[in-house]
């Protein structure tokens, strides 16, 4: 039973992630034209998001504590991360968030869908590399740049949620969100480019 704890936590995180994404899609029903803050509903969504993040930490700790790191876990854990990140940003794009400054709807839509496209392209690219490497029996676990990228992406998701719920039109919130998004995009692109330079990928290519 103990050896299954990390994967159970990962599956639990997947369920929480799906609930969180549904709540984002339903969020616009709880406020008028995106102009009135609605802390209650999104605060609950934010709590679910935090719990999901905690399970991510716990499953890694459990895997190392009980020495049950598996190929399934190495594949499943980053996959759930991608469902969370890509799912969150496509949901944001669908509902038209985040709103930044006084940009018109078309400009905002281009920004929102471009962010989603960049993140999804990177995740799909690295996932393909990981599957190729793991299929050849080579460990393609997360690197420091990948972990930092994931942290910034999660921080960006939380930033959008808090902005939507509490500070939709505040100037400082617009600037803060913009800066977080820029850091996220840079770290996402950088970690994607670094993937092909990893020793494990070089070994996979030559295997």
């Amino acid at each position: 039973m103990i050896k299954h704890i990390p994967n159970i936590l990962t599956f639990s995180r997947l369920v929480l992630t799906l609930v969180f994404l549904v709540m984002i899609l339903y969020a616009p029903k709880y406020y008028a034209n995106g102009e009135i803050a609605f802390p209650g509903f999104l605060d609950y969504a934010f709590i679910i998001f935090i719990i999901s993040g905690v399970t991510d930490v716990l499953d890694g700790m459990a895997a190392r504590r009980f020495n049950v790191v598996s190929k399934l876990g190495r594949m499943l854990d980053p996959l759930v991360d991608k469902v969370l990140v890509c799912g969150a940003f496509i949901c944001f794009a669908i509902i038209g968030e985040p709103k930044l400054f006084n940009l018109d709807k078309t400009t905002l839509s281009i920004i929102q869908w471009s962010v989603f496209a960049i993140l999804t392209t990177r995740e799909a690219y690295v996932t393909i590399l990981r599957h190729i490497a793991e299929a050849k029996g080579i460990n393609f676990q997360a690197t420091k740049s990948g972990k930092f990228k994931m942290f910034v992406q999660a921080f960006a998701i939380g930033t959008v949620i808090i902005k939507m719920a509490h500070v939709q039109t505040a100037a400082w919130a617009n600037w803060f969100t913009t800066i977080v998004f820029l850091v996220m995009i840079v770290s996402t692109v950088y970690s994607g480019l670094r993937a092909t330079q990893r020793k494990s990928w070089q070994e996979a290519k030559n295997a």
Side-chain angles (χ1 to χ4, degrees):
M1 178 62 185
I2 291 179
K3 68 179 182 179
H4 296 301
I5 290 178
N7 288 339
I8 291 174
L9 288 171
T10 300
F11 278 112
S12 299
R13 183 156 58 93
L14 177 60
V15 172
L16 290 172
T17 294
L18 295 177
V19 172
F20 172 69
L21 296 179
V22 170
M23 291 185 75
I24 292 177
L25 289 175
Y26 273 86
K29 296 181 181 294
Y30 291 84
Y31 66 107
N33 299 320
E35 297 171 355
I36 302 174
F38 54 129
F41 186 77
L42 281 181
D43 282 348
Y44 287 124
F46 185 74
I47 291 172
I48 291 175
F49 174 64
I50 294 298
I51 295 174
S52 175
V54 171
T55 61
D56 186 20
V57 175
L58 291 178
D59 67 17
M61 291 175 60
R64 291 186 293 272
R65 172 66 177 80
F66 300 115
N67 193 28
V68 289
V69 177
S70 64
K71 181 178 178 180
L72 175 63
R74 292 199 304 269
M75 299 292 287
L76 188 60
D77 189 61
L79 177 61
V80 176
D81 289 341
K82 289 167 178 51
V83 171
L84 171 61
V85 172
C86 297
F89 282 96
I90 193 173
C91 288
F92 289 149
I94 290 173
I95 66 174
E97 294 288 348
K99 294 180 174 64
L100 299 171
F101 306 102
N102 294 316
L103 297 177
D104 61 87
K105 186 175 180 180
T106 300
T107 301
L108 284 173
S109 182
I110 292 174
I111 293 173
Q112 292 152 4
W113 284 104
S114 294
V115 169
F116 165 70
I118 292 171
L119 267 59
T120 303
T121 299
R122 184 273 178 198
E123 299 303 340
Y125 175 64
V126 175
T127 297
I128 291 172
L129 298 186
R130 176 175 287 108
H131 277 287
I132 293 174
E134 293 285 353
K136 295 182 178 181
I138 297 173
N139 188 335
F140 199 86
Q141 63 185 9
T143 60
K144 290 182 179 180
S145 63
K147 291 178 180 179
F148 177 76
K149 175 270 308 177
M150 182 59 197
F151 170 78
V152 176
Q153 289 175 340
F155 190 83
I157 293 171
T159 297
V160 175
I161 295 297
I162 295 301
K163 183 178 186 299
M164 289 170 60
H166 299 281
V167 284
Q168 291 183 14
T169 59
W172 69 266
N174 289 325
W175 281 110
F176 186 81
T177 303
T178 300
I179 292 172
V180 170
F181 268 47
L182 289 174
V183 174
M184 176 184 68
I185 291 172
V186 171
S187 63
T188 296
V189 173
Y190 175 77
S191 66
L193 294 175
R194 286 283 297 170
T196 56
Q197 300 173 359
R198 292 171 56 173
K199 181 180 179 180
S200 54
W201 174 243
Q202 298 302 320
E203 291 177 356
K205 283 199 308 180
N206 297 324

